[in-house]
Amino acid sequence: MGKEKSNNKIRTGLGYLLRNFTQKHRVSICDRGIGREVWYMYLSPMRILLALLGLALVMFAVVVTGVVYTPVLDALPGYPGKKARAMLLENIQRIDSLEYEMRLMQAYNDNIALIMEGKVPTPERASLRADSLPRDKSLVAPSAADSLLRTQIEGEGRFALVNATLSPTGTVVKRLEFIPPVKGKIVSAFNPGRNLFGTGIVPEGAQQVVASQAGTVVMSQWTPEDGNTIQIQHGDNYISFYKHNSQLLKRVGDRVETGEVIGYVEPGVVDNATRPSGEFIFELWSEGRPVNPEKYMTFQ
């Protein structure tokens, strides 16, 4: 009987609140010792429900703000916070750099193997993708004048876009535009018969050594014969040597642009006993054979 009365009271109370959901009710606090009311206020069930919902929204906003703008997730195991994402990006960059270094080392080893076999290493070129659209994209049909102009531009002559020169084997090859690595007085000219495969220059005071043409550094070290030496692989099978530098600034695998500083040279600073005082040696090789640098640039 007692349980049934209690259940009836609960049902009666819930029903009353639902029927009077928007009506205000007096909520008071009484002092048990003196039996007197010490505080009261009027509330409705609707206002209590809205207050609870508002409190839940505020708590949700506080939690989201703490997760987004504070490193709280870094302290929780199993959750990728900002620190974990930064470490992941750093590791990806390291892996990409290692992969790039491995490709450079592999290309360098392949070139060395070709040189040891007596072959000429060729620089890698990006392959062009074939056009997937089969339709004809020509706007007008080529005329005789157009064909003549194309021949003049692509060949030799005053309208040629590129200079051409003869390679050591006698074939016509594209001639790159080279700039002198240093400025100074020529003291030894190109003479392969006397084992002079380059041009010896005494620089005009201490100055920077610049790359004659864009390329990739394939050697950067000190040798007993040539002192501090840098070797750069260029396009069209050209290789340049910069010997007897007082200081080197580039390492193997570095990509350099035309005119970029790769070292320093200072007259009078002798890096080995076989080098004339203050002489800087520049060599240029094409298809595995030395060529006269004075035909490509002016050192004075």
Side-chain angles (χ1 to χ4, degrees):
M1 294 292 293
K3 291 183 179 180
E4 292 179 359
K5 290 182 179 180
S6 177
N7 292 335
N8 290 333
K9 289 181 179 180
I10 293 174
R11 286 198 215 78
T12 303
L14 291 176
Y16 175 81
L17 293 177
L18 292 175
R19 288 193 302 272
N20 303 275
F21 188 70
T22 60
Q23 299 297 325
K24 291 184 179 181
H25 297 76
R26 183 185 178 96
V27 179
S28 62
I29 298 178
C30 298
D31 189 338
R32 184 176 180 181
I34 62 177
R36 189 176 62 183
E37 186 181 53
V38 297
W39 179 87
Y40 71 91
M41 68 179 301
Y42 290 94
L43 292 174
S44 65
M46 182 180 66
R47 289 190 176 184
I48 295 176
L49 181 61
L50 292 177
L52 292 177
L53 291 177
L55 179 61
L57 290 176
V58 170
M59 293 297 296
F60 177 77
V62 170
V63 171
V64 171
T65 303
V67 170
V68 173
Y69 295 102
T70 63
V72 64
L73 289 181
D74 294 334
L76 300 178
Y79 288 91
K82 292 183 178 180
K83 186 177 180 180
R85 288 194 293 269
M87 292 178 61
L88 179 61
L89 291 177
E90 185 178 355
N91 291 334
I92 292 175
Q93 292 177 355
R94 288 179 178 177
I95 293 175
D96 184 68
S97 298
L98 290 176
E99 183 181 0
Y100 177 71
E101 293 291 338
M102 291 180 63
R103 288 200 303 267
L104 291 178
M105 186 60 67
Q106 183 64 39
Y108 176 74
N109 293 335
D110 293 341
N111 287 341
I112 292 297
L114 291 174
I115 293 174
M116 297 297 292
E117 294 176 1
K119 300 179 181 179
V120 179
T122 57
E124 296 183 357
R125 291 181 173 84
S127 59
L128 299 177
R129 295 185 301 174
D131 196 345
S132 58
L133 299 179
R135 67 176 183 271
D136 184 16
K137 302 179 180 63
S138 59
L139 298 179
V140 294
S143 61
D146 177 73
S147 301
L148 180 60
L149 178 60
R150 183 184 298 274
T151 303
Q152 292 177 345
I153 291 177
E154 295 180 350
E156 300 183 31
R158 56 181 300 189
F159 300 106
L161 294 180
V162 295
N163 294 327
T165 185
L166 291 178
S167 68
T169 59
T171 59
V172 177
V173 297
K174 178 183 176 182
R175 180 171 177 175
L176 299 179
E177 294 295 334
F178 289 89
I179 64 173
V182 296
K183 289 289 187 178
K185 179 181 178 182
I186 298 177
V187 294
S188 60
F190 175 78
N191 190 349
R194 298 178 55 189
N195 292 328
L196 297 177
F197 302 109
T199 302
I201 310 103
V202 175
E204 299 173 350
Q207 57 182 284
Q208 298 171 336
V209 180
V210 300
S212 291
Q213 178 57 240
T216 302
V217 177
V218 295
M219 186 184 74
S220 178
Q221 64 183 15
W222 182 89
T223 63
E225 298 82 9
D226 301 322
N228 292 319
T229 302
I230 281 186
Q231 177 184 352
I232 300 178
Q233 175 77 58
H234 308 289
D236 293 328
N237 296 330
Y238 281 97
I239 300 177
S240 58
F241 291 84
Y242 310 77
K243 300 181 178 180
H244 305 301
N245 298 269
S246 59
Q247 184 181 356
L248 302 179
L249 299 180
K250 298 298 181 179
R251 298 182 300 175
V252 174
D254 289 346
R255 175 70 183 178
V256 296
E257 300 299 330
T258 304
E260 184 175 349
V261 179
I262 60 176
Y264 293 98
V265 65
E266 183 176 354
V269 179
V270 181
D271 56 4
N272 60 67
T274 62
R275 172 194 174 194
S277 177
E279 184 178 353
F280 173 84
I281 303 296
F282 175 75
E283 295 181 5
L284 187 62
W285 294 62
S286 174
E287 297 185 356
R289 298 187 181 186
V291 295
N292 188 358
E294 295 184 62
K295 294 183 178 180
Y296 290 77
M297 65 197 72
T298 302
F299 294 95
Q300 297 177 347

